[in-house]
Amino acid sequence: MVALSYWNSSTSYRETSSSGIFEDQYITFSYPPSLVAVQYTYEDYTLVDFYNSNDTSNFDNYVGNIRFSTSNLTNLQRVYNEGSLGKYESYRTWQGTDTNGPFLFILLGSGDTKVRTLQMDFKSEYQTAYSEILKTLKINKIPA
């Protein structure tokens, strides 16, 4: 289990886990234990990268990521004009597949700027891992 606080740290740090479960006060999800999760937390965003090996310094082992941040929705819709607008557990979503693989944005607020988002991007050959995370994803609390 990885337990860190998002958006509260002004410095970045890294934590690595291959337990297959990610949980903190904001979200919970399962991921294939064959993957290695590496979490980086910064002042204004958190990033969880996934790798298919313990050699996380080699980008060839990169699978995908989940990023929590504040985004400008106008830019979001300009960059991701493909896909469909839908719902995830009553949150607005922007979901689809681009040339790299499946992606998802969960919009955790309303308005056009400074909206908390949860973004997932995975390589196409890791569709199963992407689906497992999405199937088990639970949003516990939206950061203030």
Side-chain angles (χ1 to χ4, degrees):
M1 176 185 340
V2 178
L4 299 174
S5 178
Y6 297 132
W7 296 290
N8 294 330
S9 174
S10 60
T11 60
S12 66
Y13 52 94
R14 171 185 162 143
E15 185 163 333
T16 305
S17 172
S18 59
S19 68
I21 298 173
F22 183 96
E23 183 175 2
D24 72 3
Q25 64 180 321
Y26 298 108
I27 65 166
T28 304
F29 61 84
S30 296
Y31 60 94
S34 60
L35 299 182
V36 175
V38 180
Q39 181 178 8
Y40 302 90
T41 301
Y42 301 91
E43 183 175 353
D44 59 347
Y45 70 95
T46 295
L47 179 68
V48 180
D49 284 336
F50 294 94
Y51 296 87
N52 62 11
S53 165
N54 285 325
D55 183 5
T56 60
S57 62
N58 185 343
F59 193 71
D60 289 338
N61 298 326
Y62 177 78
V63 170
N65 71 44
I66 295 179
R67 180 179 179 165
F68 311 87
S69 65
T70 301
S71 296
N72 181 317
L73 293 186
T74 303
N75 291 342
L76 179 73
Q77 291 177 1
R78 187 185 74 235
V79 173
Y80 292 97
N81 55 10
E82 301 278 330
S84 60
L85 193 59
K87 296 279 186 182
Y88 171 82
E89 303 259 332
S90 79
Y91 298 107
R92 294 180 301 153
T93 61
W94 196 259
Q95 185 173 9
T97 301
D98 61 18
T99 57
N100 297 320
F103 66 86
L104 168 75
F105 286 91
I106 299 176
L107 311 176
L108 303 173
S110 59
D112 292 330
T113 59
K114 302 287 186 190
V115 174
R116 298 278 182 212
T117 61
L118 185 150
Q119 170 189 348
M120 288 177 53
D121 289 290
F122 275 74
K123 289 183 175 179
S124 59
E125 59 267 31
Y126 292 96
Q127 174 72 43
T128 302
Y130 170 89
S131 297
E132 179 177 334
I133 291 171
L134 187 57
K135 182 175 61 176
T136 62
L137 181 66
K138 180 176 183 227
I139 299 172
N140 302 323
K141 174 181 168 185
I142 298 174

